[in-house]
Amino acid sequence: MMKKFIFLIFLVAGVCTLNAQDFKNYISCKVDGKEYKAEARRMKIPVSGFEYLALASFQVSPDVQVWIRMYYFSDSLKPGTYNILSEDDLESESKKKADKNLVWVLVDYTEETKGLGHAFHDGESLSGTLTIDRVGSTWIEGSFEATLKGVYYKKRTVATVTGSGIKGNLERKAFTKAGGGMLVNGGPHDHDNTKKGDETDTIVLSEGRFVVDWTKTPKE
């Protein structure tokens, strides 16, 4: 099992190193005034009735991530400015299929606040705007300004006491550091063995910028 785990790490690392050499992909912004910039990846898959494009940047130890997720109809992703929604708004707005030019955007944040992932301070998508400056079939560039609902996650007691939480986080960090963050993080708030608390606050992402290119050929 351990040999298989190590092999997978090197496999992911090799693939992502090539990508990093070919392209300068990143998401940058100020998080409550503090500078943030990290290499970004993309996940583009069809979902029922829509297209789904996720851009995510990963910083490791402490883990900090910014996710940009876009839901849209085929061929409707074009340059322009779009509103950032909350998850609740997305459910409501996505039912309005009459306008095929709609693009729904979520921007989320997560930050590890204690060693080995025992706690997280997350920002859930709430409001703001995202502007697509240029976009092609395999690349996208733009900017954003977002206000997020801050929430807190803590490790469940059993995971802390038994050490299973620490082991799981170390494995996740290894994959994320190797470039496989989107393989082990199903979403921005995907925290194993954690419990969301009642405390909330506000997180502001300002002066945001994203450039992600996932093709080896010249831009269109």
Side-chain angles (χ1 to χ4, degrees):
M1 179 64 73
M2 180 57 69
K3 288 183 179 179
K4 182 179 179 181
F5 177 66
I6 293 174
F7 170 76
L8 286 173
I9 290 177
F10 280 109
L11 177 63
V12 174
V15 172
C16 293
T17 298
L18 290 175
N19 289 340
Q21 291 173 346
D22 289 341
F23 313 113
K24 294 181 179 179
N25 300 329
Y26 67 87
I27 295 176
S28 66
C29 63
K30 289 184 178 179
V31 182
D32 290 336
K34 182 180 178 181
E35 297 284 352
Y36 166 86
K37 184 176 182 179
E39 186 176 11
R41 306 287 184 211
R42 66 90 190 176
M43 179 188 298
K44 187 176 187 296
I45 58 175
V47 293
S48 181
F50 302 95
E51 298 287 333
Y52 170 69
L53 174 63
L55 312 175
S57 57
F58 300 90
Q59 175 183 301
V60 184
S61 297
D63 294 351
V64 182
Q65 303 172 23
V66 173
W67 286 64
I68 299 171
R69 294 176 288 166
M70 290 172 255
Y71 298 83
Y72 56 97
F73 294 102
S74 297
D75 302 322
S76 63
L77 198 62
K78 300 174 182 178
T81 298
Y82 304 95
N83 290 329
I84 294 170
L85 306 175
S86 68
E87 290 272 7
D88 289 340
D89 289 337
L90 175 64
E91 280 193 36
S92 167
E93 291 294 320
S94 63
K95 295 177 182 177
K96 301 177 181 178
K97 296 185 178 181
D99 187 350
K100 296 295 184 180
N101 294 315
L102 288 175
V103 176
W104 299 285
V105 181
L106 301 176
V107 175
D108 294 84
Y109 174 80
T110 177
E111 177 182 2
E112 181 183 34
T113 58
K114 292 186 179 180
L116 300 179
H118 278 72
F120 297 88
H121 184 200
D122 284 14
E124 297 178 344
S125 187
L126 185 61
S127 63
T129 57
L130 178 140
T131 298
I132 297 175
D133 296 328
R134 304 171 65 210
V135 60
S137 59
T138 57
W139 52 273
I140 188 169
E141 300 179 10
S143 59
F144 63 93
E145 302 278 339
T147 298
L148 314 178
K149 176 184 176 182
V151 296
Y152 292 83
Y153 290 81
K154 291 184 179 180
K155 278 292 179 188
R156 295 184 183 278
T157 302
V158 64
T160 302
V161 172
T162 62
S164 61
I166 294 177
K167 180 181 178 182
N169 276 302
L170 288 174
E171 291 176 350
R172 274 174 172 258
K173 285 174 184 290
F175 272 100
T176 301
K177 190 173 183 179
M182 297 188 87
L183 299 177
V184 296
N185 295 275
H189 313 299
D190 182 17
H191 307 308
D192 287 344
N193 301 310
T194 60
K195 181 179 180 181
K196 183 192 287 191
D198 296 328
E199 182 182 358
T200 62
D201 55 17
T202 300
I203 296 175
V204 176
L205 306 184
S206 59
E207 300 179 28
R209 185 76 193 162
F210 57 95
V211 177
V212 183
D213 189 334
W214 55 94
T215 179
K216 294 184 179 181
T217 59
K219 291 182 179 179
E220 300 170 355

